Amino acid sequence: MTWHSEQITAAIDGEVIVMGMIRGQYVGLDDIGSVLWKLLEQPQTIRQLCDELGLRYQGNSDTILADVTAFLEDLRSIDLIEVVDAGSTR
Amino acid sequence: MSSPPVPPLPDQGKDCLLYGYRLRSVVPLPSLPVMPEGGVPDLSLRRGRVPEQLAGAVWASPFVEIGGDGSVLVRIPGIVAFLIRDGGCLTLDENSNAETSTIETFLFSAVAGAILHQRGVLPLHASCVMVGDVAVAMAGVSGRGKSTLAGALSMCGHDVVTDDVCPVDFRDGKAMVIPGPPRVRLWPDAAGLLGLSHAGLETGRPNHPKRVLAARGADVGPKRLGAVIRLDIDRRLDTPVLYRLTGPTAITPIEELVYRARLGRRLGRRVGLFRDLVRLATIVPIYQLVRPEEGVDPSRLADLVVSALCDNGKEKAGG
Amino acid sequence: MADGAAIGWIVSYPKSGNTWLRLMLLGLIGGGQPIDINGLGNEVGTASQSEFDELLVVPSGELFPDERIAAQPALNRAIAAETGEGLILRKVHDRYWHVPGGEAVFPSSVSRGAVYLVRDPRDVAVSFAHHRGTTPDETIATMADPAATLSAAGDRHRKHLAQPLGTWSGHVLSWLNQRDIPVLLLRYEDLLADPAWSLRLVADHLRIAHDSASVARVVDATRFGRLQAQEQVQGFRERQAGSTAPFFRQGRAGSWRGVLAQAQAARILADHGPVMRWLGYDCGDSGTDPERYA
């Protein structure tokens, strides 16, 4: 998974807001979402993202996996990220 | 698909000021400040042929159409129609018999929105008054009480900068509000809340219940925007609350902050509006003022608006 | 009806369980997640003035009522266009009606279907009176008034566009007799008695994906007691200012007994008896079980 090519990213008070340039859909991210978003500038697997979060935040790995998966699905469903290599992300 | 010819520009007559632009108009617009003679107009309003529909429209609704070239047709069937081209060339339907007040009503609202979006200027959906030496914009979709609050502040002696459409220009790292007509449009109940006699106010469209409070306006120069206050209603509250918004929540939903954001996007301002709002949020503090639906004295809300500016001043002085 | 059409109209006379049904359906669309009663966005409400202004550009407040009315079909088409390919639920209290130009306010081309939720008018009279903070007599008169309109011009609550109701009986018949939009009739009393069965019917009608597990979760999450408890803790945005009761007040059928005076119940029966009988409501005639919905 990585940033969709047709999106524009900005930050307000350190929190990220992203807008798709084709349809104008947008989403504001909280602090953890903002961390994930910055990582996604480079292609990431779900495992890589979970590992990264595990280093920064306390939390059980199942919870992290569930949260990251849901986060990615939300962004993918509104075309703000895209799958670059399906094999490496699942 | 040829668009109708542009009628010649009137070479005589007084220019007036519409949202910061010098407008040369063939029809009288008594609500607008008159400009000194001698300048080159930014906008022109002439009478001429306005088509029933735009050929090759990319979007159409009962009142508004957008042409493939970015022109906008605003038509109230049987009443009045405007064609807006290139961000400044306005044609008023030569067959329209609309009264001056009707022409002004739509010129200052939907038509102005089209002009500003065509020109790439950020129009906040806000009414704006002066508090001290800065402007404060009260933003929100229709029905949130923007005009009532502006009216209340006006009656406390604050100059009205603009009502409903609030153009913001970014200059030298500052956000500047471009003043609009110094008049506030009020429903009868809002006029009542402010203790104004409905009968004593001017009408907008003839026989329409909305009334016009001709307020004391600020002078015509751009005003530094000191705060944006987003208005919301929550029936669960007993008393109004004001708090600072941070992060993306400060500018979302974009549609509640920008005047006719969807029209802007269709005129190529999708990315521009997003960038402008992000820039706004980094320069100007943005607050939320939430009130119960009923039973709040507008002067209480007016006090809260003024308090936001004072807190902001303290923050800056402290930091 | 268009096949991929966007709008599912959830139609009822006011205070007939519309909000409850929409909460259940939103829960189902969300896969049976917990429901926040204040998570009901603008997108499921009736058309508002602000939607009119945003979607049709011209300020509705500067138009005359006939100009606003003429644009209502276009407004509903614009709402559907905003939604794109998905399904959007819209609460409707209007009777089925046409603008003077002849076009239906609820255009079939953007309608996936309608659910008509009906409730015993005697219970409606009690609940509506509580909601508006008026007496049952006033509400009973409203329910018999062919010109009755919600958010009428001059009404202080102008957030919504004017919604013609007509009489209670006329309201029922307007929707059930129209042939433009496929309509499912559902009785509030049946929704109460067997919510899972009712929800499946509605979901099938509007082509909302569901399975027995998601239906069970939603039914559990939207039990009346739970919604009431949430309202007590958080308040509820749909409650009307001036209302004398919580929005989720009783959620029972037949509660009019013991509240309405005999003359009031008789008046409703005189006004609406034929339609009530047709819908199977006990009208004190022989052969019906008075406790059926109690």
Side-chain angles (χ1 to χ4, degrees):
Chain A
M1 298 272 188
T2 191
W3 287 3
H4 197 284
S5 52
E6 300 288 342
Q7 56 77 29
I8 170 171
T9 295
I12 300 172
D13 304 318
E15 293 176 19
V16 167
I17 178 166
V18 191
M19 186 182 73
M21 289 163 69
I22 309 286
R23 289 189 284 128
Q25 76 284 19
Y26 53 79
V27 65
L29 304 177
D30 62 10
D31 49 352
I32 296 181
S34 299
V35 166
L36 288 173
W37 180 259
K38 283 167 195 155
L39 291 169
L40 282 162
E41 186 168 6
Q42 304 299 324
Q44 304 281 334
T45 64
I46 291 182
R47 169 162 300 179
Q48 285 170 328
L49 292 171
C50 290
D51 290 349
E52 196 65 41
L53 278 197
L55 293 175
R56 293 171 191 235
Y57 300 94
Q58 309 220 315
N60 119 357
S61 58
D62 288 348
T63 312
I64 291 180
L65 175 65
D67 288 352
V68 168
T69 308
F71 176 81
L72 293 175
E73 181 47 39
D74 284 351
L75 291 185
R76 200 200 53 75
S77 68
I78 56 171
D79 294 328
L80 292 178
I81 56 174
E82 57 193 348
V83 177
V84 280
D85 178 0
S88 70
T89 55
R90 294 277 166 178
Chain B
M1 268 186 271
S2 64
S3 46
V6 176
L9 186 68
D11 49 15
Q12 294 275 52
K14 295 190 187 81
D15 292 350
C16 50
L17 190 70
L18 177 66
Y19 295 110
Y21 299 110
R22 178 182 279 265
L23 167 64
R24 186 160 299 171
S25 171
V26 295
V27 295
L29 301 167
S31 299
L32 295 181
V34 175
M35 298 280 286
E37 282 179 36
V40 179
D42 305 299
L43 315 173
S44 61
L45 175 61
R46 320 149 206 247
R47 279 190 180 270
R49 193 172 73 76
V50 171
E52 277 297 313
Q53 294 176 313
L54 286 185
V58 294
W59 183 80
S61 79
F63 307 108
V64 174
E65 295 186 19
I66 302 175
D69 58 354
S71 57
V72 176
L73 171 68
V74 175
R75 176 183 290 283
I76 310 302
I79 306 292
V80 69
F82 296 89
L83 181 63
I84 306 110
R85 281 177 283 192
D86 305 322
C89 179
L90 315 180
T91 308
L92 172 68
D93 188 353
E94 60 197 4
N95 298 319
S96 168
N97 300 319
E99 302 80 354
T100 298
S101 60
T102 301
I103 292 170
E104 286 195 329
T105 293
F106 293 104
L107 178 64
F108 300 164
S109 56
V111 173
I115 295 169
L116 292 165
H117 283 307
Q118 281 180 347
R119 296 179 79 101
V121 172
L122 170 68
L124 292 180
H125 197 176
S127 299
C128 188
V129 302
M130 293 303 290
V131 175
D133 58 353
V134 295
V136 55
M138 295 152 292
V141 296
S142 359
R144 295 279 172 86
K146 298 182 295 295
S147 299
T148 309
L149 196 43
L153 284 156
S154 167
M155 292 171 67
C156 298
H158 296 276
D159 292 344
V160 171
V161 180
T162 188
D163 184 33
D164 209 35
V165 183
C166 178
V168 175
D169 190 15
F170 295 97
R171 285 181 204 170
D172 308 325
K174 295 194 185 87
M176 308 297 287
V177 176
I178 312 299
R183 26 180 266 154
V184 179
R185 311 271 301 149
L186 296 170
W187 284 100
D189 58 332
L193 270 178
L194 298 177
L196 295 165
S197 146
H198 187 227
L201 294 168
E202 291 174 43
T203 53
R205 294 180 69 183
N207 302 317
H208 193 281
K210 260 199 159 176
R211 288 294 184 271
V212 180
L213 169 66
R216 196 168 75 110
D219 66 86
V220 297
K223 301 287 173 290
R224 188 166 73 79
L225 182 57
V228 175
I229 298 181
R230 302 180 61 173
L231 306 181
D232 201 359
I233 295 170
D234 190 333
R235 287 179 180 172
R236 293 170 291 177
L237 292 179
D238 298 321
T239 182
V241 289
L242 175 86
Y243 52 92
R244 179 91 181 256
L245 293 172
T246 58
T249 53
I251 61 162
T252 54
I254 289 173
E255 295 80 0
E256 294 199 355
L257 205 46
V258 174
Y259 188 79
R260 308 301 189 257
R262 290 173 180 84
L263 177 67
R265 292 200 188 111
R266 292 188 174 102
L267 293 171
R269 287 280 292 152
R270 178 165 293 157
V271 173
L273 289 173
F274 179 80
R275 289 216 161 102
D276 282 350
L277 286 179
V278 169
R279 179 147 59 153
L280 181 75
T282 58
I283 304 176
V284 177
I286 299 179
Y287 296 86
Q288 182 102 320
L289 174 56
V290 194
R291 65 171 168 93
E293 183 154 46
E294 298 212 351
V296 185
D297 184 347
S299 66
R300 165 109 180 79
L301 297 175
D303 291 345
L304 277 170
V305 168
V306 173
S307 77
L309 265 292
C310 298
D311 288 353
N312 181 31
K314 270 185 238 148
E315 263 172 45
K316 270 199 302 195
Chain C
M1 178 190 63
D3 218 36
I7 304 182
W9 309 104
I10 309 300
V11 189
S12 70
Y13 199 86
K15 301 312 288 178
S16 300
N18 197 309
T19 300
W20 186 36
L21 178 59
R22 277 180 301 126
L23 282 170
M24 294 174 104
L25 290 172
L26 287 180
L28 204 56
I29 291 168
Q33 298 297 311
I35 311 286
D36 173 2
I37 58 173
N38 287 300
L40 276 180
N42 204 18
E43 72 277 10
V44 291
T46 44
S48 64
Q49 288 219 346
S50 59
E51 266 183 315
F52 187 112
D53 293 8
E54 297 304 312
L55 295 176
L56 301 184
V57 183
V58 161
S60 57
E62 306 294 356
L63 299 175
F64 286 102
D66 56 334
E67 292 168 337
R68 279 197 289 268
I69 286 169
Q72 292 228 36
L75 177 58
N76 281 324
R77 283 195 298 273
I79 288 166
E82 280 285 304
T83 308
E85 288 178 8
L87 170 71
I88 188 171
L89 303 176
R90 299 289 302 198
K91 172 172 89 173
V92 173
H93 286 324
D94 308 43
R95 63 177 161 79
Y96 190 81
W97 58 294
H98 297 76
V99 298
E103 203 179 352
V105 167
F106 307 98
S108 60
S109 61
V110 297
S111 303
R112 189 178 288 192
V115 177
Y116 191 88
L117 190 60
V118 69
R119 183 181 187 187
D120 187 321
R122 291 163 296 199
D123 285 334
V124 172
V126 173
S127 185
F128 204 16
H130 278 286
H131 183 58
R132 299 201 302 181
T134 59
T135 64
D137 281 327
E138 287 174 85
T139 308
I140 290 166
T142 300
M143 292 169 72
D145 176 7
T149 301
L150 277 188
S151 311
D155 192 323
R156 283 182 45 73
H157 304 278
R158 283 178 324 263
K159 201 170 71 174
H160 297 294
L161 298 169
Q163 301 151 65
L165 296 175
T167 66
W168 179 86
S169 294
H171 196 278
V172 175
L173 296 174
S174 74
W175 278 96
L176 297 184
N177 286 338
Q178 58 81 29
R179 291 287 168 267
D180 305 325
I181 303 172
V183 60
L184 173 75
L185 172 65
L186 177 67
R187 293 194 311 186
Y188 177 76
E189 293 76 10
D190 295 332
L191 181 63
L192 266 181
D194 192 345
W197 171 82
S198 305
L199 193 54
R200 279 195 297 272
L201 270 187
V202 172
D204 285 340
H205 183 66
L206 296 178
R207 301 196 299 281
I208 297 168
H210 61 91
D211 55 41
S212 54
S214 61
V215 168
R217 274 199 303 275
V218 166
V219 167
D220 184 57
T222 53
R223 275 183 299 140
F224 224 83
R226 290 211 175 182
L227 299 179
Q228 251 179 351
Q230 244 194 68
E231 184 181 357
Q232 276 165 15
V233 174
Q234 306 174 358
F236 183 48
R237 282 186 174 225
E238 284 214 5
R239 192 155 87 87
Q240 185 161 339
S243 174
T244 57
F247 191 87
F248 295 107
R249 201 178 57 89
Q250 255 194 327
R252 284 202 295 120
S255 62
W256 61 272
R257 293 169 207 277
V259 179
L260 289 185
Q262 205 171 4
Q264 290 171 326
R267 166 93 194 273
I268 294 174
L269 208 55
D271 291 340
H272 306 295
V275 172
M276 289 170 68
R277 283 188 193 91
W278 181 70
L279 289 166
Y281 289 122
D282 164 40
C283 297
D285 311 337
S286 59
T288 50
D289 173 7
E291 294 306 311
R292 187 170 161 196
Y293 304 112

